[in-house]
Amino acid sequence: MDDVRFWSVVASLGPELAPARLALVLNSLTRADLGEFCAHLADAEGELDTRDHRSEAVTAFELEPSRGRRTEAEQRPADFEELQVTVVAHGLDAWRAVVAVPPLLSGGWPTGLGRQFLLAVANAWRRLAPELQPA
């Protein structure tokens, strides 16, 4: 899977960033393609795993997607991996911007999207490789 196809699969989230749409595409991939997708995802996450990115991520917090805002009582630190995947889920342009400008990681992000993205990938693996499931 090349970069164009990887970002095309990510873009299947659509403008609504709907994880269910991503799940449909992931479930249509072959085991080899899903493996290559995951390798590209790991590379994309790796580009967001620098000292500067980690430093900025310390001030990141999870936004509630329905409200797009937060109160101090609701502020919850963002999980770093979910934050990385959330950036990827926002597409190539957003990812490139955050890779180039680490301070963009600070502030609020809808990291629930990152959790749902990772869950879609995990569910696709469960479907394709049931033998990898714990006994």
Side-chain angles (χ1 to χ4, degrees), residues 4-130:
V4 171
R5 183 145 184 240
F6 169 77
W7 288 108
S8 157
V9 172
V10 171
S12 71
L13 286 158
E16 312 83 25
L17 299 175
R21 290 179 61 180
L22 173 68
L24 288 173
V25 173
L26 291 174
N27 286 331
S28 73
L29 296 177
T30 65
R31 187 172 177 163
D33 283 342
L34 183 58
E36 290 176 22
F37 175 84
C38 289
H40 274 78
L41 179 59
D43 290 345
E45 287 180 274
E47 292 290 322
L48 296 168
D49 193 4
T50 67
R51 184 177 41 180
D52 290 341
H53 286 97
R54 283 192 175 269
S55 175
E56 295 297 336
V58 169
T59 61
F61 54 88
E62 183 171 352
L63 281 180
E64 196 59 42
S66 61
R67 292 185 295 218
R69 61 184 170 79
R70 56 105 180 145
T71 65
E72 290 303 317
E74 297 170 325
Q75 187 171 343
R76 188 169 81 185
D79 174 85
F80 188 66
E81 182 179 20
E82 291 171 1
L83 181 60
Q84 291 170 297
V85 176
T86 298
V87 171
V88 171
H90 277 84
L92 179 59
D93 291 340
W95 175 81
R96 282 181 176 158
V98 177
V99 166
V101 184
L104 291 174
L105 267 186
S106 64
W109 284 87
T111 53
L113 173 61
R115 276 192 300 281
Q116 292 173 338
F117 189 109
L118 291 169
L119 183 60
V121 172
N123 286 337
W125 272 115
R126 277 189 207 99
R127 183 186 67 76
L128 283 173

